[in-house]
Amino acid sequence: MKVVRFHAPGDVRFEDAPEPGAGPGEVLIRVRNCSTCGTDVKISRFGHHHIHPPRVMGHEIAGEIVEVGGGVDGWSEGDRVQVIAAIPCGECADCERGRMTVCPHQVSMGYHFEGGFAQYMVVPREVLKVDGLNRVPDGVSFAEASVAEPLACALNAQNLARVGAGDDVVVIGSGPIGCLHVRLARARGAARVFLVELSRRRLDMAADLVKPDAAICAAETGPVEEIRKLTDGRGADVIITAAASGRAQEQAIQMAARQGRISFFGGLPKDQPTITCDSNLVHYRELTIVGANGSSPAHNAEALGLIASGAVPVADLITHRLPLESAIDAFGIVARGEAIKVTIEP
Ligand SMILES: [Zn+2]
Ligand SMILES: [Zn+2]
């Protein structure tokens, strides 16, 4: 079969690999869609300390079961499935408390296990053990199902930041994750959702699709002042930074309303992880700053439900569909911000 395999930073190859089979406790799927995101770009350029090459990349995975290994119950050939990306152990103190996104023993598809940029992929027993294989609801395409994983990450963040009815929400960063955050905030009953982005071109592309209540180009106007204006000086109830930018995080704190919640959804570059925070703003305004680290199996299942019910439409966010041999070109499209969501159809 054909795969897209990481060998070293800057060395990702479209090549042949032996077709795998389903061992005991495993399931083999024919991958139908594996979508790309900024993480794939980062891995292809810099590698990752959890990836020991060669490794098939790809972690936003949907496909159909072609083989069920011994001892696996409840699944059969032909079932349409979505696979989690981050795999918690299910047994540690954090997992037992339901904090699966911060399981210290977490492993991941496309990192510790062969990923979805391949014609066939083994769903490891570790995934099945924590209920990480989800049935794709009728009416949801494989391409849409592959977006359940990033939507699940957004869902985790909005749960932690308590996005709810009547909130004014700001999303900073208008990539695919930013677009999902806008849609999800609306589905949760946000009063207004504002989108902030540095690049005018990316902002316009995203705003055309997700129609925020205001689209603010941070290169043209000061976003903090603009949000204050839009909220009669109150600030926003929730600010989500979907950008790897310390400046965006600093602005998020400054534009928060009293008792505002700030989600640092996007991480910062490893060599520049510090920001300046006016601690008195946090103190007197009773701000809450929360992180967000991936998603749990339950978030993935819930995300599929949100897509199936139409609460969070994702079909129109998939702007590019490419064959497996073009996956490496797809990383370039993602890196240049020319697309919202690029999906690979192996
Ligand atoms: Zn991703
Ligand atoms: Zn655990």
Side-chain angles (χ1 to χ4, degrees):
M1 67 168 180
K2 295 290 186 190
V3 300
V4 171
R5 206 147 50 175
F6 172 87
H7 285 265
D11 181 10
V12 177
R13 301 177 203 167
F14 173 65
E15 60 190 5
D16 287 303
E19 205 177 295
E26 298 173 343
V27 159
L28 182 70
I29 66 168
R30 172 78 177 87
V31 180
R32 290 301 177 190
N33 281 88
C34 186
S35 291
T36 59
C37 76
T39 304
D40 297 310
V41 176
K42 258 195 274 179
I43 292 170
S44 67
R45 288 181 180 169
F46 309 113
H48 190 279
H49 64 282
H50 282 148
I51 296 181
H52 302 291
R55 172 67 72 220
V56 177
M57 296 171 58
H59 59 271
E60 302 184 1
I61 306 156
E64 71 196 279
I65 295 180
V66 291
E67 192 187 342
V68 178
V72 176
D73 291 327
W75 297 104
S76 8
E77 264 179 60
D79 285 350
R80 302 165 72 245
V81 292
Q82 181 265 347
V83 187
I84 58 169
I87 311 161
C89 77
E91 292 171 355
C92 70
D94 284 304
C95 283
E96 275 183 357
R97 287 168 172 79
R99 301 173 192 151
M100 287 193 162
T101 54
V102 290
C103 169
H105 311 293
Q106 191 181 88
V107 286
S108 300
M109 299 304 294
Y111 293 68
H112 308 77
F113 299 102
E114 301 287 33
F117 292 139
Q119 289 176 292
Y120 295 91
M121 188 197 81
V122 170
V123 179
R125 69 193 68 189
E126 286 84 349
V127 166
L128 292 162
K129 186 182 131 191
V130 294
D131 260 333
L133 191 61
N134 291 302
R135 224 168 275 281
V136 176
D138 291 338
V140 175
S141 69
F142 287 117
E144 292 168 286
S146 72
V147 182
E149 192 276 332
L151 178 57
C153 299
L155 187 56
N156 176 43
Q158 294 204 13
N159 285 347
L160 290 166
R162 306 190 310 274
V163 176
D167 284 336
D168 279 339
V169 177
V170 177
V171 177
I172 306 181
S174 72
I177 281 288
C179 289
L180 289 171
H181 272 302
V182 171
R183 289 246 164 107
L184 180 60
R186 287 218 191 282
R188 296 168 72 104
R192 294 182 295 175
V193 188
F194 306 121
L195 186 58
V196 177
E197 159 71 48
L198 262 179
S199 152
R200 166 54 69 182
R201 184 176 53 85
R202 289 189 199 196
L203 177 65
D204 289 345
M205 180 169 58
D208 270 352
L209 280 168
V210 297
K211 311 260 186 295
D213 293 283
I216 299 156
C217 178
E220 296 168 11
T221 38
V224 177
E225 296 69 38
E226 202 59 32
I227 293 299
R228 288 221 183 99
K229 247 187 259 168
L230 286 161
T231 54
D232 300 321
R234 207 175 64 85
D237 301 292
V238 180
I239 304 99
I240 300 164
T241 61
S245 159
R247 178 105 186 86
Q249 292 186 347
E250 290 170 357
Q251 289 169 339
I253 296 167
Q254 289 159 16
M255 64 175 72
R258 288 179 172 78
Q259 288 201 351
R261 289 89 67 198
I262 297 125
S263 170
F264 289 167
F265 183 90
L268 297 186
K270 265 203 301 280
D271 53 343
Q272 280 180 309
T274 55
I275 62 164
T276 300
C277 166
D278 181 342
S279 164
N280 278 335
L281 278 183
V282 178
H283 174 77
Y284 289 112
R285 293 184 159 247
E286 298 189 351
L287 305 183
T288 305
I289 301 174
V290 289
N293 183 51
S295 59
S296 72
H299 292 132
N300 279 253
E302 195 181 339
L304 271 176
L306 289 168
I307 294 169
S309 72
V312 180
V314 297
D316 60 337
L317 301 182
I318 302 164
T319 51
H320 294 62
R321 292 165 184 264
L322 297 171
L324 189 58
E325 67 216 55
S326 304
I328 296 159
D329 302 329
F331 300 161
I333 294 171
V334 173
R336 293 189 298 275
E338 294 167 1
I340 300 294
K341 202 69 182 165
V342 186
T343 194
I344 301 299
E345 313 198 302

